[in-house]
Amino acid sequence: MLYDAIVVGLGPGGATAAYFLGAAGWRVLMLEKAEPPRYKPCGGGISSQTLKRFPFAFDEVVDARVDRVIYTLGRREQQMPLPPGALLMVMRDRFDHHISMHAAAELRRATVSAVRELPDRVLVSTREGESYAARYVIGADGANSIVARSGGLWQHRMLAGAIEAEVPATPEQLRRFGTMPLFAFGELELGYLWIFPKATQLSVGIAGLRPKPGELQRTLRRVMQRYGVALDGAKLHGHTLPLYTGRQPVATARVLLVGDAAGLVDPLTGEGIRLAIWSGQLAAEALLSGRPRRYSGMIRRRIGISHALGMGLAALFYRHPRASFALGVRNPFATRAFVDLLSGRGGYGRLIARLLGTLPPFMLCEAAAGLAGHRLGGRIRRVVYGAAAPGELHTATP
Ligand SMILES: Cc1cc2nc3c(=O)[nH]c(=O)nc-3n(C[C@H](O)[C@H](O)[C@H](O)COP(=O)(O)OP(=O)(O)OC[C@H]3O[C@@H](n4cnc5c(N)ncnc54)[C@H](O)[C@@H]3O)c2cc1C
């Protein structure tokens, strides 16, 4: 039996690729090592815009819809309002399963151990002793991808560390964070912490590049204690985040990597669900067009260039959190560009241009508002931000 494509791994990347290939009538085999729906350590924050790539609804797997985000730096706090429903919270087991359930494809539970590419096909072997063949293989098997390793594509990787826990939420915590996820910066050198709401619990975690031994656990416990989130008895899940380096290969002639397997996690925000879905769709598009070699270029042009700029911004942001917080996070002129970025509608080039372009009016307004005192300053901000950026989201910064 020669399949048109074998998809290895059923996270959002693999499930998306399988969905679009199956919908086009391709004969697809999905191989997943865990019994679905499987747990995945993840904050589960995703923009609703991303889900518009699919012609089916996601309402039944959305845990929470948030209308603003809180950023903190030490004791300083900034709220960023979002367009209604722009950001959603999901539990990954149900979310990922939901996509793969829509895929018209054959599913087998199997752990892939190796892939071997031949001129006209790819052979896939599993730990269970089975062997399958397909014209193409999509490697969607996550951050430690066996497909990437055994297909000769495991090069130039940069892995950040992350820890996540699901904790039951008190009614008070659900009131506070229920529609308002929190990001805490400045608590570790190159990373951040989060508190994300789910239906009845909170997903809390920390991610960092090159953390010292034990630093992630210690910092997570310390900061969560400050927000009254008890971690005693909670299971801490550790995992890696494969950040984009711009140099990692993402495809051979017949093997295409998507999502974490391709190392596409956003360098500034650490989000990867959107990139997994996007690259899964691009891989399907490249195969369906009959020109799989287009895939690497598609990734470079549509995701890579923006991510390379994002890497520069991330280096600046995490090395100088105070200045970045004061001049970037608090700049209401830039919030729309950031929301667009999370929605896949604009890249880091646009965000950086927006940040730089709006810096002079932002600083002028902040200086005037600072001199005018608390009440008048608040009015100045509302009037200036509203007039200078009509239709833009803006906050009255305290
Ligand atoms: C702690 C943490 C928090 C995060 N929070 C967010 C967030 O809030 N928002 C966001 O957008 N991103 C977040 N991310 C990133 C996001 O989780 C990943 O980028 C995303 O899961 C990538 O999807 P994927 O389909 O590429 O891979 P995965 O979701 O990792 O799926 C890979 C699948 O492959 C299967 N598999 C692995 N090996 C094999 C094998 N050998 N054979 C068969 N099957 C195999 C696995 O069982 C799994 O089902 C977070 C990551 C971490 C670690």
Side-chain angles (χ1 to χ4, degrees), residues 260-309:
D260 280 11
L264 295 182
V265 167
D266 184 291
L268 178 72
T269 63
E271 46 147 10
I273 306 173
R274 170 173 62 90
L275 285 314
I277 288 175
W278 193 3
S279 57
Q281 190 179 13
L282 289 177
E285 253 177 62
L287 292 185
L288 293 172
S289 72
R291 295 166 62 200
R293 287 185 184 277
R294 286 174 63 213
Y295 179 65
S296 296
M298 286 163 102
I299 291 291
R300 195 171 45 251
R301 277 192 307 280
R302 302 203 201 171
I303 299 177
I305 294 172
S306 168
H307 268 28
L309 293 169

Side-chain angles (χ1 to χ4, degrees), residues 9 12-13 32-33 38 40 42-45 92 112 141 260 271-273:
E32 165 59 54
K33 73 174 179 184
R38 57 92 181 90
K40 163 81 176 85
C42 183
R92 287 290 305 281
V112 169
D141 48 341
D260 280 11
E271 46 147 10
I273 306 173

Side-chain angles (χ1 to χ4, degrees), residues 316-337:
L316 204 70
F317 185 89
Y318 289 112
R319 292 222 156 79
H320 307 284
R322 277 173 206 292
S324 306
F325 197 83
L327 301 175
V329 173
R330 286 180 61 228
N331 177 351
F333 296 131
T335 51
R336 172 73 73 183

Side-chain angles (χ1 to χ4, degrees), residues 52-65:
K52 296 199 174 133
R53 293 184 182 277
F54 301 96
F56 49 87
F58 279 81
D59 297 330
E60 62 191 89
V61 292
V62 171
D63 264 47
R65 293 168 198 274

Side-chain angles (χ1 to χ4, degrees), residues 75-197:
R75 304 223 165 266
R76 276 189 286 172
E77 189 173 304
Q78 172 72 25
Q79 292 191 13
M80 180 172 96
L82 300 170
L87 191 59
L88 310 173
M89 297 289 152
V90 299
M91 284 301 292
R92 287 290 305 281
D93 49 357
R94 292 166 57 227
F95 177 82
D96 295 6
H97 191 48
H98 185 70
I99 305 177
S100 62
M101 289 288 285
H102 281 83
E106 192 180 324
L107 167 64
R108 293 206 183 180
R109 193 164 164 210
T111 303
V112 169
S113 51
V115 295
R116 189 152 72 89
E117 191 169 339
L118 304 175
D120 64 337
R121 64 187 59 202
V122 189
L123 304 179
V124 177
S125 324
T126 71
R127 275 205 209 140
E128 293 76 10
E130 302 288 340
S131 180
Y132 303 96
R135 294 195 293 127
Y136 299 100
V137 163
I138 296 204
D141 48 341
N144 296 312
S145 175
I146 291 295
V147 176
R149 288 172 197 269
S150 99
L153 293 165
W154 189 263
Q155 293 158 39
H156 306 295
R157 300 282 167 150
M158 190 195 318
L159 299 177
I163 295 180
E164 186 259 3
E166 313 283 342
V167 291
T170 63
E172 163 57 22
Q173 286 168 337
L174 279 182
R175 254 194 308 281
R176 178 161 184 208
F177 299 110
T179 56
M180 213 159 37
L182 177 141
F183 295 87
F185 297 106
E187 306 286 352
L188 77 164
E189 203 183 329
L190 295 170
Y192 69 90
L193 297 97
W194 68 85
I195 301 177
F196 283 4

